[in-house]
Amino acid sequence: HVQLVESGGGAVQAGGSLTLSCAARTGTFRSACMGWIRQVSGQEREGVASIDADGETSYADSVKGRFTISRDSAKNTSYLQMINLKLDDTAMYYCATGPRAGDWTIPNYQNWGQGTQVTVS
């Protein structure tokens, strides 16, 4: 079992940047696909970015060119660098382990963190 903890969220103006982190408090995700999923209150969860253990990445169309996912296996940490943030990026951001990059079947994701809030104004 992997326990994931997100951090780095906050309030930022449109056009600004944030970098989110997802660290494994217990266990390891070295061989797992890592995904970042966001949710606006009252709406369904939306896959944002994912990265396989071999580094293959996938992004939602809405964030391509603005978000970059990465992982540091030695630190058991995944990152989501976000630039040129838009109002529509406001959401709770979660990390979780998933089947493979680009698979956005949300029920297939496991070991969800508690989330970190991103608010763009």
Side-chain angles (χ1 to χ4, degrees), residues 10 12 21 25 32 42 47 64 71 111 116:
V12 63
S21 298
R25 177 176 292 174
K64 283 181 179 177
R71 63 193 294 160
N111 302 307
T116 185

Side-chain angles (χ1 to χ4, degrees), residues 6-23:
E6 303 94 337
S7 61
V12 63
Q13 292 187 338
S17 304
L18 282 175
T19 297
L20 307 183
S21 298
C22 171

Side-chain angles (χ1 to χ4, degrees), residues 2-8 20-26 29 34 36 75-79 93-96 111-116:
V2 179
Q3 184 178 12
L4 301 174
V5 179
E6 303 94 337
S7 61
L20 307 183
S21 298
C22 171
R25 177 176 292 174
T26 61
F29 57 72
M34 295 304 300
W36 284 92
K75 295 183 178 180
N76 245 349
T77 301
S78 174
Y79 304 95
Y93 284 72
Y94 301 89
C95 67
N111 302 307
W112 293 79
Q114 84 289 346
T116 185

Side-chain angles (χ1 to χ4, degrees), residues 45-98:
R45 292 183 174 182
E46 172 194 23
V48 175
S50 54
I51 183 168
D52 283 336
D54 63 2
E56 181 174 348
T57 59
S58 181
Y59 297 91
D61 288 342
S62 59
V63 306
K64 283 181 179 177
R66 300 189 298 118
F67 289 13
T68 302
I69 188 172
S70 62
R71 63 193 294 160
D72 185 331
S73 295
K75 295 183 178 180
N76 245 349
T77 301
S78 174
Y79 304 95
L80 185 66
Q81 182 181 11
M82 308 182 293
I83 64 172
N84 191 20
L85 283 161
K86 303 178 179 181
L87 298 179
D88 288 346
D89 294 321
T90 295
M92 183 70 79
Y93 284 72
Y94 301 89
C95 67
T97 55

